[in-house]
């Protein structure tokens, strides 16, 4: 499965791209859609897609700036541009930033599907890196409520496996460690947790790197529960009520920024600090809880329930449900239905 985020500021074009991805085959799964570059950047750091499909001209942050930022941060991500501008300089810049494909609007389905297929080989080379980052973030969020001792051990095992990449792919090891360092420091900062912001160690010694990460992770698990338990500002309380009333439809960061009169980045930071979750995670948790009720109390099919609670595709619903509950929706129904 190749996970996809789409960034396009024209709603009808965005909807069309999402529909074409669905029609291209079940191996491509849309896990996020947004209307500007800043929102896409935040979304990428929450769902860690394997493929980004973006327009060039968008508000807040244009597509080229977004792709340039992705390259600078060495994110394990393939980028594809769909643009209305047949401009050689745009295309040249895009290719210098590592864009896999540059397509012109309006895009025919056959050409679009071919571009997705051509991207598969590159996507496969990034699959393992992508999974490492997702596992690291899932541990930081600790939705299963593991004890600090256990989750720290899981972090240690994950880091050791990344350090062992030095024997087969030194570049991948360096990129991953940089991404994990940036992610961990970003979350510490967003939650207002003070830490010693030392530069990443120059030493290649595994013990030095493990010690560096352990110090930051211990700080996170000691103070994260305290940061989350702090009282919520009224704007965040208001946003939570709004989400509860609207979670069955798509809710964007831009929409929530408008509800609270914050910028996208400011809302993202405050919401995560006072709920302990990102917007996507918060919405999906509400959807999963409603799905669990429908699985046990109705005869609706799993696909009908997925659509009812707001998931765009069955594979995405199944993946999120299993990650949250531990079993697939069908197994959950079979085990717990009276």
């Amino acid at each position: 499965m190749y996970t996809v985020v789409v960034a396009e500021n024209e709603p009808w074009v965005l909807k069309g791209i999402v529909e074409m991805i669905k029609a291209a085959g079940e191996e491509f799964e849309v896990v996020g859609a947004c209307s500007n570059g800043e929102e896409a950047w935040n979304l990428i750091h929450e769902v860690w897609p394997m493929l980004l499909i973006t327009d060039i001209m968008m508000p807040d942050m244009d597509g080229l700036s977004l792709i340039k930022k992705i390259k600078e941060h060495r994110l394990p991500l393939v980028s594809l541009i769909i643009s209305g501008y047949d401009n050689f300089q745009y295309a040249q810049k895009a290719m210098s930033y590592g864009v896999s494909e540059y397509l012109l609007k309006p895009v025919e389905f056959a050409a679009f599907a071919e571009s997705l297929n051509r991207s598969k080989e590159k996507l496969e080379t990034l699959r393992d890196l992508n999974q490492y980052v997702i596992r690291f973030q899932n541990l930081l969020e600790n939705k299963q409520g593991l004890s600090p001792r256990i989750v720290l051990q899981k972090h240690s095992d994950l880091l050791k496996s990344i350090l062992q990449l030095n024997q087969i792919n030194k570049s991948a090891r360096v990129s991953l460690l940089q991404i994990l360092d940036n992610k961990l420091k970003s979350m510490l900062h967003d939650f207002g947790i003070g830490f010693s912001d030392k530069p990443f160690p120059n030493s290649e010694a595994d013990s030095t790197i493990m010690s560096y990460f352990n110090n930051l992770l211990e700080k996170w698990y000691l103070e994260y529960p305290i940061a989350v338990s702090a009282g919520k500002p009224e704007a965040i309380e208001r946003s939570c009520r709004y989400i509860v009333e609207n979670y069955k439809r798509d809710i964007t960061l831009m929409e929530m920024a408008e509800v609270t009169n914050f910028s996208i980045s400011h809302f993202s930071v405050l919401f995560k600090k006072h709920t302990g979750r990102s917007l996507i995670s918060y919405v999906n948790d509400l959807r999963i809880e409603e799905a669990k009720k429908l699985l046990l109390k109705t005869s609706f099919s799993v696909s009908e329930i997925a659509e009812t609670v707001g998931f765009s595709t069955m594979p995405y619903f199944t993946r999120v449900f299993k990650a949250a509950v531990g079993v697939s929706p069908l197994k959950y129904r079979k085990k717990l239905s009276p």
Side-chain angles (χ1 to χ4, degrees):
M1 184 71 68
Y2 306 119
T3 51
V4 187
V5 160
V6 183
E8 164 62 61
N9 67 312
E10 293 289 346
W12 63 275
V13 177
L14 177 63
K15 183 177 180 181
I17 294 172
V18 171
E19 290 302 320
M20 283 198 294
I21 294 169
K22 292 179 183 178
E26 291 186 354
E27 56 196 332
F28 290 96
E29 175 188 332
V30 177
V31 294
C34 55
S35 59
N36 64 74
E38 184 181 353
E39 189 171 1
W41 180 250
N42 280 278
L43 196 55
I44 287 167
H45 283 78
E46 297 300 336
V47 299
W48 293 103
M50 298 180 70
L51 175 65
L52 168 70
I53 299 176
T54 181
D55 190 7
I56 284 184
M57 304 305 290
M58 297 185 295
D60 297 317
M61 184 192 299
D62 63 65
L64 286 177
S65 298
L66 173 62
I67 292 168
K68 181 182 179 184
K69 205 169 181 180
I70 288 169
K71 182 181 180 181
E72 290 172 346
H73 286 75
R74 305 174 74 168
L75 303 187
L77 180 63
V78 174
S79 300
L80 186 156
I81 282 179
I82 299 179
S83 174
Y85 294 86
D86 186 6
N87 184 302
F88 176 73
Q89 288 184 330
Y90 282 158
Q92 191 176 41
K93 271 192 176 180
M95 295 306 170
S96 72
Y97 297 152
V99 169
S100 176
E101 300 275 339
Y102 190 103
L103 303 177
L104 292 175
K105 298 176 182 176
V107 181
E108 294 184 358
F109 175 72
F112 180 75
E114 285 178 10
S115 71
L116 291 181
N117 282 326
R118 284 194 297 269
S119 299
K120 286 181 184 178
E121 185 176 348
K122 196 170 181 181
L123 286 165
E124 280 300 321
T125 67
L126 298 177
R127 183 184 293 279
D128 289 344
L129 303 187
N130 178 266
Q131 290 304 307
Y132 276 123
V133 178
I134 289 175
R135 286 170 61 193
F136 186 80
Q137 175 153 312
N138 287 343
L139 285 172
L140 286 178
E141 293 178 350
N142 194 19
K143 290 182 181 179
Q144 295 179 331
L146 302 174
S147 70
R149 181 181 62 81
I150 292 175
V151 77
L152 280 169
Q153 182 58 54
K154 287 182 175 291
H155 269 298
S156 179
D157 294 341
L158 178 61
L159 286 166
K160 286 176 182 176
S161 67
I162 292 173
L163 292 173
Q164 289 171 0
L165 291 173
N166 201 37
Q167 301 170 11
I168 54 175
N169 192 337
K170 188 172 183 178
S171 177
R173 165 178 149 140
V174 172
S175 294
L176 275 171
L177 292 175
Q178 179 182 320
I179 292 167
L180 303 190
D181 182 39
N182 289 338
K183 182 64 182 177
L184 180 50
K185 285 181 176 177
S186 173
M187 292 187 73
L188 285 164
H189 179 268
D190 289 349
F191 279 77
I193 298 173
F195 63 99
S196 178
D197 191 4
K198 297 178 181 178
F200 192 83
N202 289 326
S203 171
E204 293 188 7
D206 290 359
S207 58
T208 302
I209 295 172
M210 288 294 294
S211 176
Y212 171 84
F213 273 107
N214 284 338
N215 287 334
L216 291 175
L217 288 165
E218 286 173 4
K219 191 76 173 174
W220 171 253
Y221 288 110
L222 283 172
E223 300 195 28
Y224 166 72
I226 299 171
V228 172
S229 64
K232 296 178 186 175
E234 193 279 331
I236 299 303
E237 290 279 11
R238 185 169 71 251
S239 69
C240 289
R241 293 194 295 271
Y242 182 89
I243 293 166
V244 168
E245 293 170 359
N246 295 280
Y247 71 87
K248 292 181 182 179
R249 64 172 180 78
D250 289 335
I251 301 176
T252 67
L253 280 169
M254 178 174 281
E255 180 181 351
M256 295 312 304
E258 291 174 355
V259 167
T260 55
N261 293 317
F262 293 148
S263 67
I264 290 173
S265 57
H266 188 47
F267 170 78
S268 297
V269 169
L270 277 182
F271 188 82
K272 188 181 292 184
K273 178 177 180 179
H274 292 286
T275 66
R277 287 167 285 179
S278 66
L279 174 63
I280 290 176
S281 180
Y282 193 89
V283 169
N284 282 345
D285 285 350
L286 290 171
R287 290 172 173 172
I288 293 301
E289 286 305 309
E290 180 65 14
K292 286 161 68 176
K293 295 176 186 176
L294 293 175
L295 284 165
L296 299 183
K297 296 181 179 180
T298 73
S299 58
F300 295 155
S301 69
V302 174
S303 61
E304 287 173 329
I305 291 173
E307 184 178 355
T308 298
V309 301
F311 284 98
S312 57
T313 67
M314 258 294 292
Y316 186 40
F317 169 59
T318 301
R319 184 159 65 85
V320 173
F321 190 98
K322 192 171 183 179
V325 182
V327 295
S328 69
L330 196 56
K331 283 187 178 180
Y332 178 85
R333 169 176 268 174
K334 287 179 178 179
K335 285 186 176 183
L336 297 183
S337 289

